[in-house]
Amino acid sequence: PTQRLYQRFIDGIGAPKPCEWERVPRAYIGGYAAEVETIFWRLEEAKAKCILLGSDCGGITCEAAEEGDTESGVGGSVACTVRHGDPPLAASPIGEESHVKHCADGDCDAPPIER
């Protein structure tokens, strides 16, 4: 990762812009991202994995929060998965919550590792 960041500065591109996340209650994002079915118990960990997966990940879908929780991932008690986006966003019949990743020109996605 350090080499990629260094190369961005050498190329005059600069640091990547951070992702913006849109919280969408009562919705899910279809399909697992890059066939990753791992359950993340903290929303921030799921977001980090989504960024690492790049354009294969369109966001995060989490199970419905427990009563009293205001956002998924509170207290580490909500299961989240990284999602591809087919369908991109749909109404959840079970009250799931999604966090859609928005990147200007894909800038916040981790670039692929070249070997």
Side-chain angles (χ1 to χ4, degrees):
T2 303
Q3 180 62 36
R4 290 192 302 246
L5 185 57
Y6 176 74
Q7 189 61 48
R8 289 180 65 94
F9 282 104
I10 294 298
D11 294 342
I13 299 171
K17 297 174 187 151
C19 285
E20 293 188 17
W21 296 89
E22 176 188 3
R23 181 175 174 248
V24 184
R26 296 176 304 283
Y28 74 94
I29 300 169
Y32 291 111
E35 300 181 21
V36 175
E37 297 184 26
T38 303
I39 294 173
F40 296 90
W41 295 101
R42 294 185 40 79
L43 179 59
E44 293 307 314
E45 291 174 358
K47 286 180 177 180
K49 181 64 173 182
C50 187
I51 291 168
L52 286 175
L53 292 173
S55 60
D56 285 338
C57 184
I60 312 297
T61 294
C62 301
E63 67 183 13
E66 296 291 322
E67 190 172 323
D69 285 349
T70 58
E71 188 171 328
S72 53
V74 174
S77 63
V78 180
C80 300
T81 54
V82 292
R83 312 298 286 193
H84 176 69
D86 186 20
L89 204 55
S92 173
I94 58 172
E96 295 161 301
E97 171 180 293
S98 289
H99 299 262
V100 180
K101 180 177 70 172
H102 297 287
C103 301
D105 301 323
D107 231 10
C108 68
D109 289 326
I113 297 173
E114 295 179 17
R115 299 189 189 258

